[in-house]
Amino acid sequence: MSISVCILTRNEAATVGRAVTSVRGVADEILVADTASTDDTADAAAAAGATDVSQFQWEDDFSAGRNYLIGRAKGDWILWLDAKEQMTPASIAPLRIAVAKPEVFGWFVSVK
């Protein structure tokens, strides 16, 4: 089963690279949609290894941005990540186990 990581951003050049790097070992694709940042967010995401960086016209509607990214995702699973979040290395193995089981339909994480 493939995993698409989706990250919606705005002015997060300082953090998006860490977010992208944290999921490179588990993601089949990392999609970042930038919502008209005035900093180097899109470049930072690409430099960190995001496989698809696009621009999304923000109209104060988070669900529209989320749906835009989900519509672009090709994976069987979608992992939603904020640009200020990072997946811990200890979380990667349990995620891989969960997505490999046909009876599993979701995976919950603890945010610290």
Side-chain angles (χ1 to χ4, degrees):
M1 301 294 261
S2 59
I3 300 173
S4 296
V5 175
C6 296
I7 305 172
L8 186 64
T9 65
R10 174 176 271 168
N11 293 330
E12 310 213 53
T15 58
V16 72
R18 289 190 301 270
V20 169
T21 300
S22 77
V23 294
R24 281 194 322 216
V26 71
D28 295 285
E29 65 175 353
I30 304 169
L31 300 106
V32 175
D34 184 57
T35 59
S37 291
T38 57
D39 65 6
D40 294 326
T41 298
D43 292 337
T51 53
D52 183 297
V53 179
S54 60
Q55 293 295 318
F56 177 75
Q57 180 64 41
W58 182 253
E59 295 180 6
D60 203 25
D61 184 354
F62 178 80
S63 63
R66 181 193 59 222
N67 291 339
Y68 167 78
L69 278 169
I70 290 171
R72 295 175 62 86
K74 297 179 182 101
D76 301 305
W77 281 67
I78 294 175
L79 173 62
W80 189 264
L81 194 65
D82 186 86
K84 293 179 184 79
E85 298 174 331
Q86 297 172 52
M87 186 169 196
T88 64
S91 300
I92 291 174
L95 176 59
R96 285 188 175 145
I97 291 167
V99 301
K101 295 181 177 184
E103 70 275 10
V104 174
F105 66 92
W107 188 65
F108 293 93
V109 298
S110 174
V111 176
K112 295 181 182 181

